[in-house]
Amino acid sequence: MIEYSLTVESINKTFGRRLIFSGINFKLDSSTIFGISGPNGSGKSTLVKIIANIISPSSGKLVHNLNGTEIKPEKLHNHIGLVSPYLVLYDEFSAYENLNYFSEIRGISFDKEKVDKLLNKFLLYNRKDDLVKTYSSGMKQRLKFIFALMHSPQLIILDEPTSNLDDEGKEVVYELVKKEAKKNIVIIASNEKTDLSLCSETIDLKNYKK
Amino acid sequence: MKSYALFKKDISSELRTRYAINALAMFIIVTLSIILFSIGNERISSSLTGGLFWVIIFFTSMSGLSRVFVSEEERGTSLTLQLIAAPSTVFSGKLLFNLILVFAMNTVIAILYSALFNTFVLKNFALFLTSFILSNIGLAFASTIIAAIISKAGAKGTLYPVLSFPILLPLILTSVQLTLFAMDGTSFETAKFELAIVGCYDVIIFTVSYLLFDFIWKE
């Protein structure tokens, strides 16, 4: 079994003179669902980007460990799956082309069987060859889940995971979160009570403003 | 292989969106036409012909080479790239794309320029070819890293030529000199100092770009 852990030590983030949050500490191990809540503008997405190694914290330290060994920052992208409203896939390609290019760029072989299974699960299989620009916002959101899961990451970060989804889509997401949390770390950043009800522990960012 | 996959994605995307190709093709045609109209029946000197050749190359590069990063930033797909590739992969892939684009663009410019300007006669073609290859490599290296820098800024269109000018100036000046040497029929032996400058420029700009890209790419 793969053991993944994320340690966040005294993370602070400021944009110019504006403090977003300070003094965030937590440690997560595999088989955890962790929640991040807070009002709009409290820094949920900023914290998500820091955890996903997209932006750096102003101070503090993050350590990603795989089986007791720290993962190098340049290799981290292969262990993280992110779904967020600000994630954009290539409109000029079909869903299948997008996923195929992502596999090639990651340097992993395209697992057709897994991708087809995910496309079926998210009800996109029949539209897999259509250009992404013809998709509705809900379909694009579903495709982002496939993008986040196709490389079997150990850390799954879901920023507002149910935005643009219908009830059926939300059910698929909740089922998937429970399944992934059996072996991986799932982080949910949201204000939706139903999203956060899945989490075993939640931090509220409005308490980290000093 | 990962860089090549990114390059393949960019080529495929470019063929579908024509983001850079159309801009470059139009710029080449318009610039050559304006120069031809402004010259009229006058016969321009060979030194001016060599200089104008690099003026066209510089401004055409400024119109299209930034697209490699700017298009990702404008469409919001930079984040997607950050999630699937290491910075070194992104830089190598984008560099490969710009190298191909620079060589294709400058070859078209050179062919059209030779056909339209009868004073553009190369007496030492081998010297021209060597300097052309070295200069194109330097141009691609520099324009790629500058594109990465300006893609994060607000006024991208204005900033690109302004930031590129001082960085590309040593390369352009030396390339103009080498083109004039090739037009005069100067030997490789006489031009070796200028060739060495361009070669060193390529090595320096590549090393600096590769080292700096991590800091530019990650916010």
Side-chain angles (χ1 to χ4, degrees), chain A residues 23-202:
Chain A
I24 296 180
N25 291 287
F26 56 83
K27 185 172 187 296
L28 306 175
D29 293 305
S30 297
S31 312
T32 307
I33 310 178
F34 184 75
I36 301 168
S37 71
N40 294 339
S42 59
K44 294 188 294 295
S45 296
T46 304
L47 181 56
V48 158
K49 285 180 186 173
I50 290 172
I51 295 170
N53 195 37
I54 293 162
I55 60 172
S56 306
S58 302
S59 65
K61 198 177 153 194
L62 272 100
V63 181
H64 294 256
N65 272 306
L66 184 70
N67 294 329
T69 312
E70 188 175 344
I71 304 167
K72 289 179 182 170
E74 63 269 22
K75 302 268 180 200
L76 211 49
H77 61 272
N78 281 331
H79 302 277
I80 294 174
L82 174 72
V83 176
S84 80
Y86 41 85
L87 179 72
V88 181
L89 305 181
Y90 293 94
D91 270 353
E92 66 273 24
F93 298 132
S94 69
Y96 229 58
E97 286 172 326
N98 262 292
L99 300 170
N100 200 1
Y101 278 127
F102 295 148
S103 295
E104 285 185 22
I105 296 169
R106 276 187 194 280
I108 54 173
S109 59
F110 182 65
D111 189 345
K112 192 175 178 300
E113 199 181 324
K114 181 168 188 180
V115 167
D116 285 350
K117 209 171 146 186
L118 285 166
L119 283 164
N120 267 317
K121 196 179 183 75
F122 283 97
L123 310 172
L124 286 176
Y125 188 79
N126 294 332
R127 298 286 303 274
K128 68 180 167 51
D129 295 317
D130 292 354
L131 297 183
V132 171
K133 67 179 167 197
T134 65
Y135 281 22
S136 69
S137 50
M139 289 166 75
K140 284 181 184 172
Q141 180 73 358
R142 288 167 194 236
L143 184 57
K144 288 178 197 176
F145 276 94
I146 303 171
F147 162 75
L149 296 168
M150 62 182 292
H151 57 291
S152 308
Q154 290 83 42
L155 175 61
I156 298 155
I157 309 168
L158 309 175
D159 189 1
E160 296 179 29
T162 51
S163 61
N164 296 318
L165 290 181
D166 52 20
D167 289 343
E168 195 182 3
K170 285 180 186 174
E171 275 313 309
V172 174
V173 170
Y174 294 146
E175 188 191 313
L176 184 134
V177 167
K178 286 173 194 163
K179 188 185 159 212
E180 288 296 326
K182 283 179 186 162
K183 53 184 181 351
N184 299 318
I185 300 173
V186 181
I187 297 176
I188 301 175
S190 177
N191 279 324
E192 290 282 328
K193 283 185 179 140
T194 39
D195 295 356
L196 295 171
S197 67
L198 300 166
C199 305
S200 52
E201 190 189 340
T202 301

Side-chain angles (χ1 to χ4, degrees), chain B residues 21-149:
Chain B
I21 293 173
N22 284 352
L24 288 172
M26 285 313 295
F27 201 92
I28 293 169
I29 294 165
V30 169
T31 315
L32 282 171
S33 306
I34 288 173
I35 293 173
L36 279 173
F37 284 132
S38 60
I39 290 169
N41 290 328
E42 277 185 52
R43 187 177 170 82
I44 55 171
S45 66
S46 60
S47 61
L48 188 59
T49 316
L52 278 174
F53 175 68
W54 282 98
V55 168
I56 297 169
I57 286 180
F58 175 77
F59 283 106
T60 311
S61 305
M62 292 305 99
S63 76
L65 296 183
S66 63
R67 309 309 298 173
V68 72
F69 279 108
V70 170
S71 68
E72 300 277 3
E73 204 64 44
E74 282 178 351
R75 292 185 293 171
T77 47
S78 294
L79 177 74
T80 315
L81 274 186
Q82 282 178 292
L83 288 167
I84 57 172
S88 56
T89 307
V90 176
F91 181 69
S92 320
K94 297 291 183 187
L95 179 62
L96 192 56
F97 180 80
N98 260 2
L99 264 171
I100 302 292
L101 200 59
V102 163
F103 270 97
M105 171 188 97
N106 290 350
T107 305
V108 170
I109 292 174
I111 292 168
L112 287 174
Y113 203 75
S114 310
L116 295 170
F117 294 84
N118 48 19
T119 47
F120 189 64
V121 179
L122 300 163
K123 290 179 184 158
N124 188 345
F125 184 75
L127 177 62
F128 174 76
L129 192 65
T130 312
S131 69
F132 185 74
I133 292 168
L134 287 173
S135 304
N136 280 350
I137 292 170
L139 191 60
F141 287 173
S143 58
T144 305
I145 195 70
I146 300 165
I149 296 169

